[in-house]
């Protein structure tokens, strides 16, 4: 019965598993919990975030750090290949050591998660803030303001992100903190799409009755935006932010791989891939570990973003076919349809039987009346 309630929907699109008086946040969590793939992705993302936050503790337990060199663990005669099996994996170095330097791979991997996730999250926040401000200002401003901001947004969207990032990062002094610089550059260049989405959604919300009522009551433009429009923009903004984070992780990794992102000795997954491209045969784990971490993170965040989009907008079907309950919903819908057909047939049969019985009663009454009338006429005659 619980599965039927979770997967079934009313004809109007309302999720029957959510009580009518439930809040928006409660409805969102219930819809999100109904998607197994999104829950698994969320668990993976939470685990990655906890590993990144607990990097100092984890490396302290291992007894290593991400910057200390271990030349005794490197075979200089073979060009700097780690000594020992599987890249030098041992009780002191859980994932082995880095070629040529001997730095601990586990420590660099978990500290690299802090840099990659932190840069992506900071860049996403910058993009969302600028995009929301520009989009709302364009939608609520005058015609000239709208045209000016819209054309400026078109220019930002047309700029090639990687080329502009390479140019800006190349001219900035090396003393500036690179993670902060990378996050700022990505955020300042790639906010155009969210601004377009916010502007379009704000123009739609402006025509609704409650916004018109707030305007007629004497509210100012920015008070209407803060009290009435921003809550309505939460769903598309959160959805787009969930999609932006994996994209920004990939951009940071690409910039670090090209040598203009995070600089050594600061660990980063992209920077680790830069130095690992010539070691994939001699020390394959040096390439596979950061590449696998990037792959898992991007896939988990993408699946979670799709689940958030579907939970915030139940009318939009999920693009994923694994763990979204589509087969269960199809079975429930088929069962409901079959039950509906059976109910209709039973109702029709009942109505037909009632009509037949009514006709029979009328015929019998008419027959009785006819016989009694004939008897009376016979007696009179």
């Amino acid at each position: 019965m619980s599965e039927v309630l979770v997967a079934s929907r009313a004809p109007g699109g309302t999720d029957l598993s959510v009580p009518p008086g439930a809040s928006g946040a409660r409805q969102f969590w219930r819809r999100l919990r109904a998607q197994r793939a999104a829950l698994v992705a969320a668990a993976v993302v939470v685990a990655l975030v906890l590993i990144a936050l607990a990097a100092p503790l984890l490396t302290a337990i291992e007894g290593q750090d991400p910057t200390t060199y271990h030349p005794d663990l490197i075979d200089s005669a073979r060009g700097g290949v780690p000594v020992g099996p599987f890249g030098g994996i041992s009780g002191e170095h859980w994932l082995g050591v880095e070629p040529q330097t001997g730095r601990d791979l586990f420590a660099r991997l978990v500290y690299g998660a802090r840099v990659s996730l932190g840069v992506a999250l900071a860049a996403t926040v910058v993009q969302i803030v600028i995009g929301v401000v520009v989009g709302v200002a364009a939608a609520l401003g005058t015609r000239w303001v709208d045209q000016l901001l819209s054309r400026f947004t078109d220019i930002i969207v047309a700029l090639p992100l990687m080329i502009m990032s390479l140019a800006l990062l190349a001219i900035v002094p090396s003393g500036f903190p690179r993670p902060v610089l990378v996050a700022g550059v990505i955020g300042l260049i790639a906010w155009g799409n969210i601004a377009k989405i916010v502007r379009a959604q704000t123009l739609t919300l402006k025509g609704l009755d409650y916004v018109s009522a707030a305007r007629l009551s004497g509210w100012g433009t920015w008070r209407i935006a803060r009290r009435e429009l921003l809550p309505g923009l939460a769903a598309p903004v959160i959805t787009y932010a969930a999609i932006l984070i994996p994209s920004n992780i990939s951009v940071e990794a690409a910039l670090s791989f090209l040598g203009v992102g995070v600089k050594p000795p600061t660990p980063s997954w992209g920077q680790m891939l830069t130095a690992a491209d010539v070691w994939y045969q001699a020390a394959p784990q040096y390439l596979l570990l950061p590449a696998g971490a990037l792959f898992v993170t991007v896939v988990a965040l993408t699946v979670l973003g799709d689940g958030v989009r579907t939970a915030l907008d139940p009318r939009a079907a999920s693009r994923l076919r694994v763990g979204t309950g589509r087969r269960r919903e199809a079975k429930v819908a088929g069962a409901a349809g079959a039950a509906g057909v059976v109910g209709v047939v039973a109702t029709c049969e009942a109505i037909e039987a009632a009509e037949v019985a009514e006709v029979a009663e009328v015929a019998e009454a008419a027959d009785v009346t006819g016989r009694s009338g004939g008897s009376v006429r016979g007696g009179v005659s």
Side-chain angles (χ1 to χ4, degrees), residues 120-162:
L121 183 60
T124 302
V125 171
V126 174
Q127 289 171 295
I128 294 299
V129 171
I130 298 177
V132 170
V133 171
V134 174
V136 172
L140 297 181
T142 62
R143 179 169 174 264
W144 293 105
V145 172
D146 186 17
Q147 290 293 325
L148 179 63
L149 292 178
S150 297
R151 298 296 77 79
F152 181 65
T153 303
D154 292 338
I155 295 174
I156 294 296
V157 172
L159 292 176
L161 174 60
M162 292 301 298

Side-chain angles (χ1 to χ4, degrees), residues 149-229:
L149 292 178
S150 297
R151 298 296 77 79
F152 181 65
T153 303
D154 292 338
I155 295 174
I156 294 296
V157 172
L159 292 176
L161 174 60
M162 292 301 298
I163 295 178
M164 294 299 299
S165 300
L166 287 171
L168 293 176
L169 291 171
I171 62 177
V172 175
S174 58
F176 197 88
R178 301 302 285 189
V180 177
L181 179 60
V182 172
V185 168
I186 297 175
L188 293 174
I189 294 176
W191 54 265
N193 289 324
I194 186 63
K196 284 181 169 292
I197 293 174
V198 170
R199 176 184 175 275
Q201 188 68 18
T202 304
L203 290 175
T204 302
L205 295 175
K206 280 176 59 178
L208 299 181
D209 293 338
Y210 68 91
V211 178
S212 301
R215 187 182 297 109
L216 291 175
S217 63
W219 285 17
T221 301
W222 294 111
R223 185 180 181 187
I224 293 175
R226 186 179 68 254
R227 298 287 297 276
E228 304 294 343
L229 297 179

Side-chain angles (χ1 to χ4, degrees), residues 249-379:
I249 289 178
S250 301
V251 172
E252 184 276 329
L255 292 174
S256 297
F257 180 79
L258 294 174
V260 295
V262 178
K263 299 289 186 181
T266 303
S268 169
W269 291 343
Q271 187 265 331
M272 292 174 67
L273 289 174
T274 304
D277 57 349
V278 297
W279 295 99
Y280 61 91
Q281 290 183 345
Q285 80 284 352
Y286 188 36
L287 176 66
L288 295 177
L289 287 174
L294 274 173
F295 177 78
V296 171
T297 304
V298 171
V299 170
L301 287 170
T302 302
V303 174
L304 180 60
D306 182 83
V308 170
R309 179 186 64 85
T310 306
L312 290 173
D313 186 7
R315 296 173 298 178
S318 175
R319 293 171 293 183
L320 301 174
R321 293 186 177 273
V322 179
T324 55
R326 284 191 171 189
R327 293 183 178 180
R328 184 176 60 186
E329 292 182 3
K331 290 181 181 180
V332 172
V341 171
V342 172
V344 170
V345 171
T347 303
C348 292
E349 291 179 353
I351 294 174
E352 184 178 357
E355 290 179 350
V356 169
E358 184 177 356
V359 170
E361 291 178 359
V362 171
E364 184 179 358
D367 184 45
V368 172
T369 304
R371 289 199 302 270
S372 61
S375 301
V376 171
R377 285 194 299 270

Side-chain angles (χ1 to χ4, degrees), residues 238-248 301-302 305-306 309 319:
I238 293 174
T239 301
Y240 197 73
I243 299 173
L244 277 177
I245 293 176
S247 175
N248 290 335
L301 287 170
T302 302
D306 182 83
R309 179 186 64 85
R319 293 171 293 183

Side-chain angles (χ1 to χ4, degrees), residues 49-67:
V49 172
L50 291 177
I51 290 174
L53 294 176
L57 177 61
L58 294 175
T59 54
I61 294 174
E62 188 194 22
Q64 304 296 333
D65 63 80
T67 58

